[in-house]
């Protein structure tokens, strides 16, 4: 027997205590539709939602797949849904006596605020308007205002945008209608829209219709059904509008999702002084405080609240601010309705177990709920809400941990530009957001000026094409760093992040004119030395002038501390920090680092107090004989030991991975005459001989040159000095009864033979130090960075000698992609714009490429040594997605800049919830 196939259901009704759909159907009904169904139909809610129906996202897909046509069944489904609405409201769509008007709104799976279209008051025409006047108790002004709004909105959204008409001279129909309204106001001397009389509005309606015919060549449709279908098609068309496409690209929303359309009976907040409309949050979205917070406008439509034309009044005393404190609250004005609204918002939050953003309307003394959705919140509020809801037992520990986006924590850790001020200022340039937070300062163009100005108490921002290690002092003294070149792991970016300093790199909108001491930005803006600029390092935005900063003290934030306690109960992978000084180590410890995953010893040669060790290093570099070199190394030794010892001491028995010297030597060679002179005198050689030696160190590709372990192979005495410093520092601490656990790490290796070679030095020095100190044993590990693809491929052999691997994903990415980490800013934007790459691989691990190498290396290494400790110390160690990846592939720890430690801890906890590991916690 043949069975009849049931037609696809494209229309889901809600209202009158019932709904076809529910909250779990977001993919089909969109966020708004699913929540309307939930509010209207869930047995625990059944809230006063005006009835309506949702046309599914599947229909949007159908529409585009079928040359913008609809399936036959749709008409019947829509007509049936309209009848249901009519039964509930007691009104009739298109009826002259008692007409039902509807709104037509978009609603994608994820909210895309303001990106798609809405048409209100659909169903109004020259005839039904009489019915609307009667419904409103003879309020003609209200009815004609609604009609005027419909005509303008419909002409704009459906007839112009929906049809893809490009307005002539860029002046759309909406603008033209607006101008007509303004002209009437001007002529009659009205200050605000509400001064318009019924006759004015009637005349405007006629004028709008004439203009539409003239400009668009067709009449405004007076048939309610035509309006409804036209509105629906316009919403679907707006899914592929320019704004929506761009927004999806930024938010990574797939194009094929489509939008739903919600058609709902209109209720009016502008029917008189017993009507109002408002937006509210179940908790304060700015601070997270558990207090009902919102705004409303008497005798107004929803769009008036959002558009900000009239200053809204507070719903209660708690919501008052400087502009609204003298307004009457809803609580005072309509106490019974406020009480009803208050109870509903409580129920909504309890039901959804999260802060809700709600829209409501009161029409002639009756409350309606128009929308609810999970409310957006800033980082501070997110942390407070998550921990307080956990304490209130509204949510469990896992939900609490998942509630805060790792990057939201940044807002708690760093000062920010005042967000209100920022909204009002034009952006003069945009670059890569290398160091988050906000900063303001006066522009300087050299490191020396930064140091000098800062010493006089000036706040400065160092603006450079790019930075080098020689700039470190100035960078340190500056409030922030702005470079025109470089990528996310360029020198400036790396250093700034390490300090938690605001930094923007690769800012191609700027042109520096060093001689004139100026830079040129967008739109002809020229900034001179000494003038103020402000940076938003979180978004990579540059502003002219000095903007206020909002400061945050993390130690005082109890919610943050509470959240971190929860995080530590859940996470499984260890989190360490990359540190360069004992002070960094202290900061890292404060932020909860469980060890140091990368201690770059070369830091002692930059910045404050570096004169002497740098001089000794230079001596060592240009030495010609081993004897000379050893003499210089001898002098260097004490500096290295002191730094290592202080850091081990701060970390008090937690592991400290000390990397042997890595950078190419030429980076440390002096170039200015005076310093060369000093060196030549000290070494007892002529300037010309010294110059020749310096020249000999020049390399075409220093990143692929004489650096890392290659130095230790050419000059074993360099390794020997460092190893001695590490062991003696450890021994001295042990003798003082302290705990110390060094991990010696060899950088830039590509073959196990390099590791064997260096290990011999380690073994020999170890015995010598034991003998000298009389200790029986000094605890330590010997391992390597994996930052050359070959090292990952040969991981099984590397693990024969190494106790641990630490993936140096900065160099691994550079060497595997063949992209210079310092120059990627020059072409990366083209790659991202054209979707050739979806993300900057120096910011987040390229999981399918570099990630494969990391997985392969880890697995192969552990075949040789099942307990091989594996970590990561590239900048990716602080990127939430990369942390999650490292968790999933079974790494023991991630290591990142001190300021990113809390972010990595949270990401680690979320990874443990999303894909729990069987093994216990690791460090
Ligand atoms: C790396 O290459 O990932 C790394 C951590 O080392 P550096 O950034 O110092 O080259
Ligand atoms: Mg490296």
């Amino acid at each position: 027997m043949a069975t009849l196939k049931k037609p696809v259901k494209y229309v889901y009704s809600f209202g009158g205590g019932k709904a076809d759909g529910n909250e779990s159907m977001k993919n089909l009904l969109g966020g708004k539709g699913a929540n309307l169904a939930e509010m209207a139909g869930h047995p625990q809610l059944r809230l006063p939602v005006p009835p309506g129906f949702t046309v599914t996202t599947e229909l949007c897909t159908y529409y585009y797949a079928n040359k913008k046509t609809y399936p036959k069944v749709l008409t019947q489904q829509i007509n049936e849904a309209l009848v249901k609405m009519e039964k509930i409201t007691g009104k009739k769509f298109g009826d002259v006596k008692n007409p039902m008007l509807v709104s037509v709104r978009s609603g994608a799976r994820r909210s895309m605020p303001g990106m798609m279209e809405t048409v209100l008051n659909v169903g109004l025409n020259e005839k039904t308007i009489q019915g609307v006047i009667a419904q409103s108790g003879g309020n003609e002004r209200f009815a004609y205002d609604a009609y005027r709004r419909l005509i303008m909105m419909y002409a704009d959204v459906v007839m112009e945008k929906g049809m893809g008409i490009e307005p002539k001279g860029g002046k759309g129909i909406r603008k033209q209608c607006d101008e007509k309204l303004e002209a009437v106001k001007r002529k009659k001397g009205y200050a605000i829209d509400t001064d318009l009389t019924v006759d004015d509005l009637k005349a405007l309606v006629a004028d709008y219709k004439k203009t539409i015919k003239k400009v668009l060549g067709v009449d405004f449709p007076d048939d309610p059904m035509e309006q409804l279908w036209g509105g629906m098609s316009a919403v679907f068309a707006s899914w592929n509008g320019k704004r929506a496409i761009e927004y999806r690209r930024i938010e990574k929303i797939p194009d094929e999702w489509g939008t739903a359309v919600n058609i709902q009976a209109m209720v009016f907040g502008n029917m008189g002084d017993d009507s109002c409309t408002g937006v509210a949050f179940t908790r304060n979205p700015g601070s997270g405080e558990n207090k009902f917070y919102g705004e409303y406008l008497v005798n107004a439509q929803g769009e008036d609240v959002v558009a900000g034309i009239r200053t809204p009044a507070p719903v209660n005393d708690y919501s008052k601010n400087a502009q609204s404190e003298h307004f009457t609250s809803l609580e005072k004005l309509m106490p019974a309705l406020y009480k009803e609204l208050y109870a509903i918002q409580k129920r909504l939050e309890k039901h959804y177990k999260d802060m809700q953003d709600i829209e409501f309307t009161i029409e002639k003394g009756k409350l309606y709920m128009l929308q609810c959705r999970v409310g957006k919140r800033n980082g501070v509020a997110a942390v407070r809400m998550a921990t307080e809801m956990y304490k209130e037992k509204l949510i469990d520990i896992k939900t609490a941990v998942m509630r805060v986006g790792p990057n939201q924590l940044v807002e708690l850790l760093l000062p920010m530009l005042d967000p209100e001020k920022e909204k009002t200022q034009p952006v003069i340039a945009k670059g890569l957001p290398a160091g988050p937070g906000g900063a303001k300062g006066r522009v300087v163009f050299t490191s020396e000026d930064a140091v000098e100005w800062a010493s006089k108490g000036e706040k400065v921002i160092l603006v450079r094409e790019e930075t080098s290690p020689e700039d470190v002092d100035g960078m340190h003294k500056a409030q922030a760093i702005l470079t025109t070149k470089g990528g996310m792991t360029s020198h400036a970016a790396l250093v700034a992040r390490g300090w938690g300093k605001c930094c923007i790199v690769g800012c191609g909108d700027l042109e520096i004119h060093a001689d004139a001491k100026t830079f040129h930005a967008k739109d002809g803006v020229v900034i001179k030395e000494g003038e103020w600029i402000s940076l938003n390092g979180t978004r990579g935005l540059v502003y002219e002038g000095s903007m206020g900063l909002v400061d945050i003290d993390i130690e005082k934030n109890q919610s943050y501390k509470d959240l971190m306690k929860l995080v530590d109960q859940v996470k499984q992978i260890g989190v360490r920090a990359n540190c360069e000084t004992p002070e960094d180590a202290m900061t890292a410890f404060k932020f909860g680092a469980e060890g140091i995953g990368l201690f770059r010893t070369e830091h002692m040669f930059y910045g404050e107090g570096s004169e002497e060790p740098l001089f000794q290093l230079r001596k060592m570099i240009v030495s010609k004989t081993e004897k000379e070199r050893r003499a210089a190394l001898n002098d260097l030794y004490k500096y290295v030991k002191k730094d290592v010892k202080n850091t081990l001491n701060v970390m008090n028995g937690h592991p400290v991975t000390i990397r042997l010297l890595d950078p190419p030597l030429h980076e440390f060679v002096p170039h200015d005459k005076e310093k060369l002179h000093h060196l030549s005198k000290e070494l007892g050689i002529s300037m010309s001989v010294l110059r020749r030696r310096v020249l000999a160190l020049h390399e075409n590709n220093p990143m692929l040159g004489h650096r890392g372990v290659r130095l230790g192979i050419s000059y074993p005495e360099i390794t020997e000095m460092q190893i001695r410093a590490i062991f003696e520092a450890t021994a001295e601490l042990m003798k003082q009864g302290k705990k110390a656990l060094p991990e010696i790490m060899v950088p830039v290796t590509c073959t196990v033979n390099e590791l064997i070679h260096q290990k011999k030095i380690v073994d020999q020095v170890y015995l010598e130090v034991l003998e000298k100190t009389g200790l029986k044993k000094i605890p330590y590990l010997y391992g390597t960075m994996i930052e050359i693809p070959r090292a990952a491929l040969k991981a099984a052999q590397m693990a024969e000698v190494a106790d641990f691997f630490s993936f140096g994903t900065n160099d691994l990415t550079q060497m595997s992609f063949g992209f210079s980490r310092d120059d990627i800013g020059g072409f990366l934007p083209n790659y991202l714009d054209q979707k050739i790459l979806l993300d900057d691989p120096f910011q987040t691990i390229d999981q399918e490429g570099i990630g494969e190498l990391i997985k392969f290396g880890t697995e192969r290494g552990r075949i040789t040594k099942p307990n091989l400790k594996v970590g990561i110390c590239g900048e990716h160690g602080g990127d939430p997605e990369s942390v999650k990846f490292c968790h999933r592939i079974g790494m023991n720890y991630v290591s990142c800049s001190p300021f990113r430690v809390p972010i990595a801890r949270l990401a680690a906890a979320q990874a443990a919830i999303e894909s729990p590991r069987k093994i216990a916690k690791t460090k």
Side-chain angles (χ1 to χ4, degrees):
M1 197 177 73
T3 50
L4 272 179
K5 215 171 130 209
K6 234 176 138 193
V8 179
K9 185 173 167 64
Y10 289 112
V11 172
Y12 285 71
S13 290
F14 56 83
K18 279 196 268 181
D20 297 343
N22 61 51
E23 198 245 337
S24 70
M25 295 164 76
K26 285 212 169 81
N27 291 359
L28 188 65
L29 302 180
K32 192 186 185 88
N35 281 328
L36 281 169
E38 185 83 0
M39 281 201 294
H42 193 283
Q44 270 149 30
L45 294 172
R46 291 196 172 131
L47 302 182
V49 173
F53 59 90
T54 303
V55 181
T56 64
T57 54
E58 269 177 11
L59 186 71
C60 185
T61 314
Y62 180 102
Y63 178 76
Y64 278 109
N66 292 278
K67 300 197 183 112
K68 302 193 179 173
T69 61
Y70 296 112
K72 281 212 185 71
V73 292
L74 189 63
T75 313
Q76 193 195 340
Q77 292 188 8
I78 286 186
N79 289 344
E80 282 170 11
L82 280 170
V83 170
K84 282 189 198 166
M85 289 165 70
E86 289 170 348
K87 274 204 186 121
I88 297 166
T89 58
K91 300 176 185 171
K92 213 164 160 22
F93 189 59
D95 190 48
V96 179
K97 287 221 177 75
N98 192 14
M100 176 176 77
L101 303 186
V102 301
S103 61
V104 180
R105 296 176 204 263
S106 61
R109 277 194 220 182
R110 262 192 15 221
S111 149
M112 294 170 55
M115 297 299 132
M116 286 187 290
E117 303 298 353
T118 293
V119 193
L120 305 177
N121 307 338
V122 166
L124 250 181
N125 60 25
E126 298 290 350
K127 290 186 191 133
T128 56
I129 196 163
Q130 296 310 324
V132 173
I133 294 169
Q135 285 165 347
S136 64
N139 191 342
E140 256 194 302
R141 202 198 163 282
F142 154 78
Y144 275 97
D145 190 44
Y147 196 25
R148 173 192 72 78
R149 288 180 197 238
L150 166 70
I151 297 170
M152 182 172 76
M153 230 184 276
Y154 195 89
D156 170 39
V157 171
V158 184
M159 301 173 77
E160 189 173 73
K161 290 205 193 96
M163 291 296 160
I165 296 173
E166 281 291 328
K168 282 200 197 94
K171 202 197 266 183
I173 189 76
R174 189 180 200 120
K175 183 112 202 337
Q176 297 190 37
C177 290
D178 256 342
E179 283 178 0
K180 295 207 174 287
L181 181 113
E182 288 307 317
V184 174
K185 278 165 65 182
R186 237 188 348 261
K187 197 166 136 212
K188 307 237 168 159
Y190 300 153
I192 47 175
D193 289 6
T194 41
D195 292 339
L196 292 162
T197 65
V198 178
D199 288 337
D200 293 332
L201 290 166
K202 278 185 183 167
L204 268 176
V205 161
D207 200 3
Y208 279 8
K209 286 188 173 180
K210 252 203 284 170
T211 312
I212 289 167
K213 176 83 188 191
K214 199 169 110 209
V215 175
L216 301 172
V218 276
D219 283 320
F220 168 77
D222 251 358
D223 174 25
M225 266 308 177
E226 189 182 339
Q227 290 177 4
L228 191 151
W229 284 81
M232 187 170 71
S233 299
V235 170
F236 284 149
S238 69
W239 173 256
N240 275 338
K242 242 195 243 150
R243 263 183 310 161
I245 291 175
E246 178 66 8
Y247 185 82
R248 286 204 293 277
R249 196 183 69 80
I250 296 166
E251 293 290 315
K252 301 203 165 92
I253 296 175
D255 291 338
E256 54 286 357
W257 276 6
T259 180
V261 182
N262 297 292
I263 292 166
Q264 194 174 19
M266 286 291 301
V267 286
F268 293 94
N270 55 341
M271 265 203 189
D273 286 343
D274 53 356
S275 303
C276 70
T277 187
V279 175
F281 301 87
T282 57
R283 296 185 191 216
N284 185 331
S287 69
E289 197 176 356
N290 186 6
K291 293 262 171 69
F292 183 44
Y293 179 91
E295 297 175 327
Y296 79 108
L297 274 175
V298 172
N299 198 10
Q301 274 199 313
E303 55 174 359
D304 302 334
V305 183
V306 184
I309 302 164
R310 277 163 62 191
T311 307
V315 293
N316 50 20
D317 281 351
Y318 175 75
S319 309
K320 286 189 172 172
N321 58 36
Q323 278 118 35
S324 68
E325 60 191 356
H326 52 284
F327 291 143
T328 312
S329 69
L330 183 68
E331 188 174 12
K332 277 235 168 70
L333 192 72
M334 305 179 185
L337 286 161
Y338 175 81
K339 227 169 127 190
E340 190 187 342
L341 176 67
Y342 187 86
I344 285 178
Q345 62 88 22
K346 275 270 171 236
R347 275 166 70 199
L348 275 173
E349 187 177 280
K350 205 166 158 216
H351 181 75
Y352 282 98
K353 300 184 190 322
D354 200 353
M355 187 268 272
Q356 297 295 301
D357 164 348
I358 58 184
E359 281 177 28
F360 64 92
T361 283
I362 292 173
E363 182 188 275
K364 291 196 154 301
K366 176 154 175 41
L367 172 68
Y368 293 96
M369 303 305 297
L370 296 190
Q371 169 155 313
C372 87
R373 60 184 166 188
V374 171
K376 292 219 164 36
R377 61 208 72 182
N378 64 24
V380 175
V383 173
R384 180 161 180 183
M385 286 182 204
T387 50
E388 290 189 356
M389 286 185 189
Y390 172 70
K391 281 190 203 158
E392 293 158 22
K393 298 201 166 54
L394 189 62
I395 54 176
D396 62 10
I397 182 168
K398 288 183 182 169
T399 312
V401 167
M402 295 305 292
R403 277 283 163 83
V404 183
N407 283 326
Q408 283 188 307
L409 278 187
V410 175
E411 292 170 37
L412 277 74
L413 302 170
L414 301 165
M416 291 192 303
L417 291 185
D418 182 343
E420 291 307 315
K421 288 262 167 53
E422 223 185 322
K423 276 188 214 154
T424 64
Q425 300 287 316
V427 173
I428 61 163
K430 193 166 188 305
L432 298 173
K440 59 176 179 176
R442 299 175 67 187
V443 168
V444 290
F445 292 97
T446 66
S447 173
E448 289 76 18
D449 284 343
V451 174
E452 197 189 317
W453 289 45
S455 71
K456 291 183 200 143
E458 294 287 355
K459 286 191 182 334
V460 296
I461 291 184
L462 179 60
V463 183
R464 312 265 308 143
E465 288 203 330
E466 55 200 337
T467 64
S468 75
E470 292 192 357
D471 295 321
V472 166
D473 219 3
M475 292 165 78
H476 198 236
K477 295 285 171 4
Q479 303 297 310
I481 300 139
L482 171 60
T483 72
T484 58
K485 293 187 180 157
M488 292 297 279
T489 59
S490 62
H491 178 262
L494 219 128
V495 171
R497 250 197 315 274
W499 293 333
K501 193 171 283 240
C502 173
C503 174
I504 297 174
V505 297
C507 191
D509 290 338
L510 299 188
E511 207 178 283
I512 298 178
H513 296 255
D515 293 345
K517 295 202 169 178
T518 59
F519 73 71
H520 291 223
K522 281 202 307 207
D523 304 325
V525 175
V526 179
I527 305 281
K528 297 196 204 82
E529 181 186 57
E531 289 183 344
W532 284 84
I533 57 169
S534 305
L535 307 189
N536 177 336
T538 312
R539 295 174 59 208
L541 307 178
V542 184
Y543 299 92
E544 196 173 355
S546 158
M547 221 182 269
L549 289 178
V550 192
D551 226 341
I552 292 142
D553 181 357
I554 196 68
E555 286 303 305
K556 291 202 184 115
N557 189 329
Q558 188 55 42
S559 302
Y560 163 79
K561 291 197 216 160
D562 291 344
L563 179 72
M564 285 300 148
K565 267 195 215 129
L566 302 185
V567 158
D568 287 340
Q569 284 176 45
V570 175
K571 78 182 208 347
Q572 295 175 307
I573 192 171
V575 177
R576 298 191 186 184
N578 294 354
C579 294
E580 323 229 310
T581 62
E583 295 78 50
D584 279 356
M586 217 103 81
T587 311
F589 209 55
K590 204 177 75 193
F591 283 132
E594 296 152 78
I596 290 178
L598 174 62
F599 185 71
R600 292 179 169 107
T601 38
E602 51 272 13
H603 177 83
M604 73 183 73
F605 305 119
Y606 306 128
E608 219 172 315
S610 67
E611 281 288 298
E612 189 51 32
L614 180 60
F615 178 70
Q616 297 302 339
L617 179 74
R618 285 172 167 162
K619 241 168 88 179
M620 188 263 304
I621 293 168
V622 293
S623 298
K624 208 164 171 208
T625 64
E626 185 182 331
K627 194 163 157 237
E628 272 175 20
R629 206 161 24 249
R630 278 194 181 277
L633 282 168
N634 241 345
D635 288 329
L636 255 184
Y637 164 81
K638 56 177 186 288
Y639 295 102
V640 179
K641 192 177 87 175
K642 185 170 149 233
D643 240 32
V644 168
K645 187 174 168 184
N646 286 343
T647 306
L648 286 168
N649 192 20
V650 169
M651 292 313 287
N652 191 25
H654 292 279
V656 177
T657 309
I658 302 154
R659 177 174 76 180
L660 303 183
L661 265 184
D662 181 16
L665 290 182
H666 81 101
E667 265 191 20
F668 297 104
V669 170
H671 295 288
D672 73 81
K673 217 168 160 189
E674 204 183 309
K675 284 180 181 143
L676 277 171
H677 222 83
H678 182 41
L679 201 58
S680 80
K681 247 172 69 197
E682 188 70 19
L683 288 170
I685 54 175
S686 70
M687 277 292 272
S688 59
V689 171
L690 179 60
R691 279 224 166 87
R692 243 179 288 129
R693 284 194 200 163
V694 167
L695 208 62
L697 285 167
H698 173 80
E699 290 179 317
N700 284 330
N701 271 324
M703 271 294 184
L704 303 176
H706 205 171
R707 58 177 286 211
V709 68
R710 298 159 203 173
L711 295 176
I713 303 277
S714 308
Y715 310 114
E717 55 276 15
I718 298 180
T719 303
E720 188 188 319
M721 176 278 285
Q722 295 177 84
I723 301 295
R724 192 177 303 285
I726 293 169
F727 283 142
E728 293 211 358
T730 312
E732 283 175 18
L733 287 169
M734 287 168 71
K735 289 206 147 182
Q736 290 166 22
K738 293 184 172 155
K739 284 192 226 149
L741 183 54
E743 297 179 343
I744 298 164
M745 181 157 79
V746 187
V748 201
T749 53
C750 61
T751 157
V752 69
N753 289 335
E754 291 164 327
L755 284 179
I756 294 169
H757 178 282
Q758 298 287 289
K759 183 68 171 33
K760 279 192 193 134
I761 303 171
V762 172
D763 289 344
Q764 188 193 326
V765 176
Y766 181 75
L767 291 176
E768 285 169 17
V769 176
L770 282 190
E771 192 174 355
K772 180 176 165 195
T773 57
L775 290 169
K776 288 212 170 58
K777 196 179 159 205
I778 298 172
Y780 79 98
L781 294 181
Y782 177 73
T784 183
M785 290 187 77
I786 304 283
E787 49 188 342
I788 293 180
R790 190 180 191 278
L793 295 171
K794 302 298 289 176
Q797 278 89 345
M798 305 297 268
E800 284 166 10
V801 186
D803 302 320
F804 67 89
F805 287 171
S806 177
F807 283 90
T809 43
N810 301 335
D811 273 311
L812 191 62
T813 301
Q814 170 166 262
M815 298 203 207
S816 306
F817 270 94
F819 291 161
S820 157
R821 57 195 265 193
D822 294 308
D823 303 316
I824 191 173
F827 55 87
L828 182 69
N830 302 334
Y831 270 63
L832 296 179
D833 283 349
Q834 296 176 50
K835 295 192 179 169
I836 290 170
L837 285 179
L838 297 184
D839 294 294
D840 178 349
F842 288 104
Q843 231 178 96
T844 189
I845 290 177
D846 157 51
Q847 295 187 17
E848 57 182 272
I850 308 298
E852 279 299 295
L853 268 176
I854 298 173
K855 240 161 74 182
F856 181 88
T858 305
E859 281 162 16
R860 286 294 167 100
R862 285 188 177 151
I863 289 174
T864 306
K865 235 179 220 161
N867 288 328
L868 184 78
K869 199 175 206 176
V870 180
I872 178 177
C873 64
E875 285 297 292
H876 305 84
D879 164 62
E881 284 312 310
S882 306
V883 171
K884 290 181 179 181
F885 169 80
C886 295
H887 164 92
R888 287 198 299 276
I889 66 158
M891 272 195 196
N892 297 73
Y893 68 86
V894 297
S895 187
C896 57
S897 316
F899 290 91
R900 290 202 77 84
V901 166
I903 295 154
R905 283 163 72 199
L906 177 56
Q910 295 186 346
I913 292 167
E914 286 162 356
S915 29
R917 288 192 201 165
K918 288 194 193 77
I919 55 146
K921 289 184 186 220
T922 56
K923 281 192 179 177

